[in-house]
Amino acid sequence: MEIQSLCKLKSKFVAREVGDELIIVPLSANVAQMNELFTLNETAKILWDHLDENSTFESLLRVITDNFDIDTTTASKDIELFLNKLDGLLKK
Amino acid sequence: MPARPNSICISIAEFKIELFSEQKIDLEEGYLPFIDTNDSKVADFSIECIEGLPVELFNSDKLVFEAENEAQKFYSVYKHDQGHGFYIYNQQTVNDIQQIAVLDGSFCNWKIYAERRNGIFMPLRYPMGPIIMHYMTLKSNAVLMHASSAFDGTKARLFSGFSGAGKSTISMLWAKAGHQIINDDRLIIRKLEDGFYVYNTPMYYQDQPKKAPLSSVFLISHSPVNKIKQLNGAVAVSKVMAFSIQNNYDRQFIQSRIDLFAELCSKVSVYELGFVPDENVVKFVLNHEAGENK
């Protein structure tokens, strides 16, 4: 899924910080997703915060390499993992 | 204020609820021990009960939530400028409307429309009662949980998990070890000034109202061996919250719920407990707690 499509779906979640992590809960019109609550660690939380309509893979990569002592290859893998996880969550 | 005709007060989790009607109100058996005859406290919530179902009440309102599974509907929630509207469905005939309810914007005042069935006018007939309890907790620092709880006279342990995880079984095992069962299925957790408390709620059978200070939450599952793991932070909050009753169509509801659970999980211990359904699990948990306190 493209980053822009993910960004649009982001508004269907409520996010709340608990300590260093983020809990995201889907807004839902039925009971089907009641047990679907998710936590994002510090890296994923920063990606979530910076995911907006202007985001590109490169802009997210910059956010991670600017905030963490991490090489570009590892950061790219982390971002792909995050986007794939988000894609899975938002499609549920 | 003149005395209302056919008024009954009940107290659930120390919330006082006044039901009143032009008709005599019948209550399900489980509510009878919760009748409150103490006139000194003003009701926190009021419910006007009206016989008969109005026609086309919420047609122009927005359908925001439907509680249903593959087999049947439980209730539908509509939202309008002044509050919420509810259609509650008959659990025997599957999809017939059993009650229509209106909740005002303060979340304190209900109107329930219900038809007489076999000569009985029962506005809180299941599942109306738990719906009211859920919306009552949204207004307060409280939450309705699918859980059981056992009380040792000092502290209450709460057990929650998926359907079939063993909530009733484990509470029975604690009862055999001399603990009092607060309830084995549905509880209200309430934040008071000095901590979090757990309360039973009216069930289909009679049981006296109970209250106990909550000390720990166990998220249970069946397991080949007894095993326990403490949870902290966001993971604990998200896992405990998953077993609360939720109507997650409203951003504000969710935010306030996460805040309440974040505070709860900072005050009480949260564990994942895999257990073998025999009496050894009680000793296993007590030994674990004793080890933690050394």
Side-chain angles (χ1 to χ4, degrees), chain B residues 58 61 64 77-86 101-105 107 110 135 249-250 253:
Chain B
F58 307 132
D61 299 329
V64 289
V77 184
Y78 292 77
K79 205 170 176 182
H80 56 87
D81 293 344
Q82 283 81 42
H84 289 78
F86 301 78
V102 181
L103 174 61
D104 74 358
F107 279 59
W110 289 82
Y135 279 82
Y249 58 84
D250 185 287
F253 292 169

Side-chain angles (χ1 to χ4, degrees), chain A residues 55-74:
Chain A
S55 296
T56 61
F57 193 90
E58 288 69 31
S59 71
L60 294 177
L61 188 60
R62 266 198 306 281
V63 166
I64 293 302
T65 51
D66 287 351
N67 281 279
F68 299 96
D69 184 16
I70 189 170
D71 63 79
T72 311
T73 310
T74 311

Side-chain angles (χ1 to χ4, degrees), chain B residues 74-92:
Chain B
F74 297 98
Y75 58 95
S76 304
V77 184
Y78 292 77
K79 205 170 176 182
H80 56 87
D81 293 344
Q82 283 81 42
H84 289 78
F86 301 78
Y87 286 127
I88 292 90
Y89 300 97
N90 185 320
Q91 300 302 291
Q92 270 86 49

Side-chain angles (χ1 to χ4, degrees), chain A residues 8 11 15 17 41 45 49 54 73 89-90:
Chain A
K8 279 180 191 163
S11 65
E17 272 186 50
N41 63 20
K45 177 171 163 288
D49 289 342
N54 299 315
T73 310
L89 300 186
L90 297 178

Side-chain angles (χ1 to χ4, degrees), chain B residues 32-265:
Chain B
L32 301 180
F34 290 79
I35 289 177
D36 183 348
T37 54
N38 179 357
D39 291 335
S40 62
K41 190 188 168 196
V42 177
D44 302 295
F45 300 91
S46 84
I47 304 174
E48 182 180 0
C49 306
I50 301 155
E51 186 177 346
L53 297 177
V55 182
E56 297 181 352
L57 199 63
F58 307 132
N59 275 3
S60 61
D61 299 329
K62 185 184 174 195
L63 175 65
V64 289
F65 190 81
E66 287 192 291
E68 61 186 344
N69 58 26
E70 291 89 3
Q72 67 185 123
K73 283 184 178 182
F74 297 98
Y75 58 95
S76 304
V77 184
Y78 292 77
K79 205 170 176 182
H80 56 87
D81 293 344
Q82 283 81 42
H84 289 78
F86 301 78
Y87 286 127
I88 292 90
Y89 300 97
N90 185 320
Q91 300 302 291
Q92 270 86 49
T93 61
V94 184
N95 286 333
D96 290 338
I97 292 174
Q98 176 175 281
Q99 292 109 332
I100 293 176
V102 181
L103 174 61
D104 74 358
S106 74
F107 279 59
C108 290
N109 302 303
W110 289 82
K111 278 185 186 175
I112 299 177
Y113 299 86
E115 285 183 331
R116 195 170 289 274
R117 195 191 296 174
N118 300 326
I120 293 172
F121 178 52
M122 192 176 277
L124 296 188
R125 191 189 298 275
Y126 183 86
M128 187 76 245
I131 295 168
I132 287 181
M133 289 176 225
H134 171 66
Y135 279 82
M136 194 169 79
T137 63
L138 285 175
K139 150 95 182 167
S140 323
N141 280 320
V143 64
L144 190 61
M145 294 282 295
H146 287 301
S148 63
S149 180
F151 180 46
D152 65 6
T154 307
K155 54 190 182 183
R157 296 173 180 84
L158 182 142
F159 307 98
S160 195
F162 289 109
S163 181
K167 295 188 283 292
S168 297
T169 303
I170 201 164
S171 63
M172 286 301 292
L173 293 168
W174 285 84
K176 277 186 187 170
H179 296 235
Q180 180 192 34
I181 297 178
I182 300 297
N183 188 253
D184 69 355
D185 186 56
R186 191 176 61 221
L187 299 161
I188 287 178
I189 298 175
R190 188 170 176 192
K191 182 190 158 195
L192 300 180
E193 277 184 16
D194 61 343
F196 285 88
Y197 286 79
V198 61
Y199 298 83
N200 63 329
T201 62
M203 303 298 291
Y204 58 88
Y205 53 85
Q206 287 200 30
D207 193 11
Q208 293 303 311
K210 296 173 200 160
K211 171 189 180 184
L214 181 60
S215 72
S216 43
V217 173
F218 297 85
L219 304 175
I220 59 169
S221 59
H222 289 294
S223 167
V225 292
N226 291 324
K227 56 182 182 180
I228 192 165
K229 178 186 169 192
Q230 185 154 11
L231 303 175
N232 294 294
V235 172
V237 174
S238 64
K239 292 205 172 189
V240 178
M241 184 168 161
F243 296 113
S244 65
I245 314 286
Q246 303 165 60
N247 284 189
N248 283 346
Y249 58 84
D250 185 287
R251 197 168 284 277
Q252 192 66 42
F253 292 169
I254 299 173
Q255 287 174 344
S256 63
R257 270 294 137 86
I258 297 176
D259 291 345
L260 181 68
F261 278 106
E263 188 169 358
L264 172 74
C265 294

